Every structure is written in structure tokens, then in C-alpha cells.
């Protein structure tokens, strides 16, 4: 049974045995949070974010919070407002570089940051809600993120122990609630909300509307009312959605070299494949996929069956992808929460992941989350995807702007995953790993073999057409 924290309520309709959850204001909800507590905040960026609750908390004198969320929202919005007020002492999440003010606060020394891979964060919260002490995961094994965690080899695979996460209070966001506290989420708004609803002593749900018991069919209840202590009604507007308010806010960098890499990556995708496309160059692949390809796109914030971006509109009208860009849903699409999404990834149910890279080395190791000279504050879902997908394709420029090779003998940047890369597509060449050897198999349009030889730091085998040689 869950602990009965401050404000825990159990009200039932007389003679009917149906729990009635109190409806309070956002200000009343904020008053239930105490300084020094751990606060779980749902949302993926600003999608499914309990913005009214967090903004009400920003009007209080609560200080010293440990703030658990995927990130600290956007500057001045939701958690970003608490950050500006210096109400957050420690942030636990997966991607803080999306808020430059969080990066600055950490560099100035007043914001402590605990960085977790996105799937690890989701599973730690789910474990906390399930009464577990923690779990072992292959994600981040052999990387800086693992730190001094307990590492064991289980079923022949190195795994890192992660303690469960719980909060004193959870602020979550749902689309609808009935008066018994049963919650229904909209589109990709389940994200971290479902797990967080189970993992705090006091759970307050901000919802678009509150309806009578029975309005939400039993099969449409995503979070049962037994988890929910209080309801707050709050209507979202485009102003609450930040960069996801309009599809036009997610402009992509497009040039011929990048499109050539995207077209080449598309050739690796086959009918029936479940595919996850990372940010950067891989997002261009999505625009090339048509229904005739029969590819099923997966996004780690909780969607399978991603369609192309709409011509107009934003997150009030459409689901969003992992880049927080509004997208459409194809026939047969489904929605789920972030913990389930990463279970699909770690469970090797995703056939192909296409990701960007900073370095790939001759051993198939990948480095793509830590940029030289920048703080190590954003890993997102990269480690889960790199180690969990059945096949990993990396798209990246062949060299840095100064000509430094990105295909190297050994990665010098912090690792994302070890021995995980199957195929590398650069603007100059295509490399495969054949029998553990880095092998050049194709030249990209306009590239020459001499350019590839000069711009590649690692030793590789040439297998262009029929000739084979070692460089």
C-alpha cells in the first residue's frame, strides 16, 4: 500500500463506495508542497506538463526543492519559472541542455544536477511506484553516466544498478478526470505522467476537464483513481506549450549533403520495420518515408505509428515526437507512456535506430551525447536506443568543420554505447562493420576515395565493388 503523506484523502460517496477526489485550486495545491521536498513533475517538454500547478508553486516562498522531471521545461515556463526563482536546489532528469538557464545555474554552482538516461529515469520512477528498491539495466554500462554504481554481469551482459525514485509530491497533467480521480491522457501526453502518478506520497492531477463518474469507460482509464489525491482544473492554451505550440517552431537544417545521408539511411529500412529516428539528420528520414514503405516509426516519448509533420498547428491539435515537434498519427498508431516506450527499446522490440554521432570508432563504439567544451547535462534517450535497438545506423558529417576525422581509432569523447554500431553513413562514405572490421562499402555522391582515406582516422577495409584492401 502507498504511504499516506500530508493531505492524503479518502472520501467516498455515502452508500455507494465510490471515492470522490477533492477539487482544489492551483494555489491550494501549491500550498501542499513544503520546502526541501522532492517534487515529481510530469511532461515531455511542455507536452503533458502541469503548467498551472507549477506556476502556482512559483508564486510561493517554497525553496530547496529536488525537482524530478525529464528536463527543467523551457525558460520561464513551468519548471523554468521555479528555476528563475531559485526555488530548485537539485534537478534530476535526462536532458537539461534544452534550458540554457539550467546550464548556467549549474555552472554557477547553485543548481545540483543528477543526469540519468531517459529510459532509466522512467523506469526508476516506475520502480518507485511499484515498491521496488531498484533494478539492473544495460543502459549506460561502461560510460561516465554509470559512475560508481554497482555493476554486475547478468545473462552475459554488463548491467548497472539504478535505485528507484519516489517523490513527496507529484504534479501531473491529464486530459480528463472523473470525480473518482480516474485519469485519461490525450495523445502523447502520457509520457512521465503515468509513472509519476504512482510514485509519490501526494499526487495532484491538473486536468483539462472533470466529468461525472462513468463518463470515462473503464477501458479508457489510464491511471486509476486510487493513485490520485486532488484534482485541479486548468485549461491549456498555446502560450503554455512553448516550442511545441506550432509545428513551425521546429525548423530543420536542410542541405543536399544532409539529404543524401537521409536518403541513404532510408534504403536500410524495410517494410514492417519498427524504427526510431533520433534528432538531427535522422529526422530528415521521416519526411522521406511514405505509406508505401511500410515502416512503423517509434518515438521514445510514447508513440508508435508516427506520421509526417502537419502543415500547420501544434501540440494542442497533434501528438509530438521526441524532438517535441507536432506530428500526425498513421492508421493503426498507438500511444503509451515513456516507461513502456523504453521497455520496447531495451527489450529489443525496435528493429532499427538511426541516430546522429560525434564519433564512431573502429570497435563500433559510439560517442554522441557530450559535445567538447560543453557541460555534460543532456543525454536523453541516446544510451537506451544505442544499446537496445537490434540495428544501429549512425548518420554524421565525415569530419568536424576543422577537418578532424569523426571516424576514429578509439573514441576520445564520452561513450554512448560500446560495440553497438552496425552502419555509418557520412557525407563522404558508407561504412559497415563486417566480422568486427570497419569496412568501406560505398562512396557518397560527389566524394572520392582519396577524400575518404584522407578524412578517416581509423584503419578500415575497402570493399568497393569487388576490390578489397586495407588502408
Amino acid at each position: 500500500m502507498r504511504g499516506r503523506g500530508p493531505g492524503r484523502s479518502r472520501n467516498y460517496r455515502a452508500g455507494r463506495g465510490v471515492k470522490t477526489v477533492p477539487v482544489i485550486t492551483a494555489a491550494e495545491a501549491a500550498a501542499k508542497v513544503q520546502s526541501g521536498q522532492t517534487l515529481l513533475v510530469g511532461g515531455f517538454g511542455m507536452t503533458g506538463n502541469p503548467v498551472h500547478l507549477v506556476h502556482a508553486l512559483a508564486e510561493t516562498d517554497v525553496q530547496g526543492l529536488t525537482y524530478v522531471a525529464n528536463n527543467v521545461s523551457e525558460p520561464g515556463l513551468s519548471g523554468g519559472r521555479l528555476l528563475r526563482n531559485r526555488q530548485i536546489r537539485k534537478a534530476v532528469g535526462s536532458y537539461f541542455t534544452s534550458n540554457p538557464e539550467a546550464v548556467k545555474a549549474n555552472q554557477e554552482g547553485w543548481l545540483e544536477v543528477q543526469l540519468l538516461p531517459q529510459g532509466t529515469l522512467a523506469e526508476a520512477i516506475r520502480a518507485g511506484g511499484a515498491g521496488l528498491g531498484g533494478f539492473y539495466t544495460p543502459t549506460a554500462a561502461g560510460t561516465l553516466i554509470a559512475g560508481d554504481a554497482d555493476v554486475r554481469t547478468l545473462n552475459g551482459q554488463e548491467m548497472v544498478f539504478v535505485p528507484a525514485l519516489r517523490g513527496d509530491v507529484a504534479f501531473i497533467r491529464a486530459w480528463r478526470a472523473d470525480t473518482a480521480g480516474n485519469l485519461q491522457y490525450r495523445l502523447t501526453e502520457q509520457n512521465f505522467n503515468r509513472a509519476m502518478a504512482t510514485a509519490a506520497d501526494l499526487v495532484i492531477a491538473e486536468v483539462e476537464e472533470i466529468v461525472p463518474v462513468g463518463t470515462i469507460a473503464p477501458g479508457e482509464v489510464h491511471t486509476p483513481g486510487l493513485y490520485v489525491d486532488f484534482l485541479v482544473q486548468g485549461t491549456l492554451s498555446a502560450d503554455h506549450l512553448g516550442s511545441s505550440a506550432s509545428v513551425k517552431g521546429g525548423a530543420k537544417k536542410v542541405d543536399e549533403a544532409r539529404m543524401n545521408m537521409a536518403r541513404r539511411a532510408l534504403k536500410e529500412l524495410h517494410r514492417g520495420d519498427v524504427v526510431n529516428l533520433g534528432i538531427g539528420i535522422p529526422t530528415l528520414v521521416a519526411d522521406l518515408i511514405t505509406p508505401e514503405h511500410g515502416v512503423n516509426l517509434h518515438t521514445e516519448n510514447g508513440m508508435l505509428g508516427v506520421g509526417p509533420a502537419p502543415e500547420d498547428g501544434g501540440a494542442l491539435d497533434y501528438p509530438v515526437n521526441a524532438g517535441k515537434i507536432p506530428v500526425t498519427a498513421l492508421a493503426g498508431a498507438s500511444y503509451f507512456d515513456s516507461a513502456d516506450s523504453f521497455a520496447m527499446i531495451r527489450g529489443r522490440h525496435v528493429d532499427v535506430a538511426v541516430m546522429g554521432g560525434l564519433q564512431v570508432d573502429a570497435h563500433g563504439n559510439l560517442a554522441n551525447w557530450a559535445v567538447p567544451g560543453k557541460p555534460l547535462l543532456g543525454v536523453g534517450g541516446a544510451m537506451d536506443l544505442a544499446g537496445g535497438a537490434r540495428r544501429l545506423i549512425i548518420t554524421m558529417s565525415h569530419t568536424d568543420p576543422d577537418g578532424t576525422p569523426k571516424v576514429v581509432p578509439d573514441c576520445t569523447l564520452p561513450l554512448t554505447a560500446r560495440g553497438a554500431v552496425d552502419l555509418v553513413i557520412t557525407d563522404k562514405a558508407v561504412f559497415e562493420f563486417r566480422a568486427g572490421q570497419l569496412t568501406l562499402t560505398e562512396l557518397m555522391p560527389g566524394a572520392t576515395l582519396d577524400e575518404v582515406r584522407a578524412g578517416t582516422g581509423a584503419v578500415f577495409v575497402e570493399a568497393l565493388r569487388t576490390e578489397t584492401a586495407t588502408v
Side-chain angles (χ1 to χ4, degrees), residues 358-360 396-409 412 452-458:
L358 296 174
Q359 288 180 337
V360 173
M396 63 183 187
S397 58
H398 203 84
T399 65
D400 287 325
D402 64 0
T404 302
K406 296 173 72 171
V407 181
V408 295
T412 56
V452 173
R453 287 170 172 167
T456 306

Side-chain angles (χ1 to χ4, degrees), residues 62-83:
V62 168
Q63 300 289 324
L65 294 170
T66 296
Y67 185 91
V68 181
N70 186 49
N71 53 33
V72 194
S73 306
E74 298 185 13
L77 282 175
S78 192
R81 192 168 294 188
L82 294 179
L83 185 72

Side-chain angles (χ1 to χ4, degrees), residues 99-110:
N99 187 335
E101 294 178 8
V103 176
K104 182 180 179 183
N106 178 254
Q107 291 174 322
E108 291 174 349
W110 60 267

Side-chain angles (χ1 to χ4, degrees), residues 157-245:
Q157 191 169 19
E158 193 174 285
M159 295 199 179
V160 177
F161 182 76
V162 179
L165 272 173
R166 281 189 63 86
D168 297 296
V169 181
F171 282 175
I172 63 172
R173 171 84 192 182
W175 173 42
R176 292 200 300 176
D178 65 21
T179 52
N182 294 311
L183 303 182
Q184 183 179 19
Y185 302 99
R186 175 184 170 275
L187 306 176
T188 47
E189 293 176 1
Q190 293 185 44
N191 49 64
F192 287 88
N193 284 301
R194 269 183 56 192
M196 287 181 172
T198 73
D201 295 330
L202 182 68
V203 177
I204 304 174
E206 173 188 312
V207 298
E208 191 76 14
E209 61 174 333
I210 301 170
V211 298
V213 167
T215 303
I216 305 175
E220 296 175 348
V221 172
H222 297 124
T223 293
L226 70 89
Y227 292 113
V228 180
D229 298 297
F230 294 97
L231 296 173
V232 172
Q233 193 278 326
T235 303
L236 282 184
S237 69
D239 291 339
H240 297 128
L241 294 172
S243 60
S244 297

Side-chain angles (χ1 to χ4, degrees), residues 201-426:
D201 295 330
L202 182 68
V203 177
I204 304 174
E206 173 188 312
V207 298
E208 191 76 14
E209 61 174 333
I210 301 170
V211 298
V213 167
T215 303
I216 305 175
E220 296 175 348
V221 172
H222 297 124
T223 293
L226 70 89
Y227 292 113
V228 180
D229 298 297
F230 294 97
L231 296 173
V232 172
Q233 193 278 326
T235 303
L236 282 184
S237 69
D239 291 339
H240 297 128
L241 294 172
S243 60
S244 297
S246 171
V247 68
K248 296 176 181 177
K252 302 173 185 176
K253 179 181 176 182
V254 179
D255 57 39
E256 191 59 22
R258 291 165 69 87
M259 287 307 302
N260 282 338
M261 286 184 271
R263 294 184 191 104
R264 181 59 187 83
L266 179 62
K267 293 181 180 180
E268 297 296 319
L269 310 184
H270 306 294
R271 178 171 294 277
D273 280 350
V274 174
V275 178
N276 187 293
L277 301 174
I279 60 174
I281 296 168
T283 61
L284 302 176
V285 181
D287 295 333
L288 302 174
I289 295 173
T290 67
E292 289 70 31
H293 287 103
V295 171
N296 201 359
L297 291 182
H298 170 277
T299 181
E300 53 262 43
N301 59 309
M303 183 178 179
L304 188 62
V306 180
E311 293 184 3
D312 205 351
L316 286 178
D317 312 294
Y318 298 99
V320 302
N321 62 16
K324 305 177 184 67
I325 298 171
V327 294
T328 56
L330 300 179
S334 58
Y335 302 110
F336 31 88
D337 76 339
S338 293
D340 282 347
S341 185
F342 281 96
M344 295 174 187
I345 294 167
R346 285 191 307 273
R348 302 189 72 80
H349 303 291
V350 173
D351 296 296
V352 183
V354 184
M355 304 173 66
L358 296 174
Q359 288 180 337
V360 173
D361 71 20
H363 315 289
N365 299 324
L366 168 68
N368 79 339
W369 68 278
V371 178
K374 299 291 182 67
L376 307 181
L377 295 179
V379 64
M383 288 184 176
D384 304 272
L385 279 164
R390 294 178 182 177
R391 190 161 186 253
L392 179 60
I393 298 171
I394 301 302
T395 57
M396 63 183 187
S397 58
H398 203 84
T399 65
D400 287 325
D402 64 0
T404 302
K406 296 173 72 171
V407 181
V408 295
D410 295 282
C411 288
T412 56
L413 299 176
L415 289 184
T416 303
R418 297 179 300 179
V421 180
D422 296 289
L423 186 75
V424 182
I425 301 171
T426 76

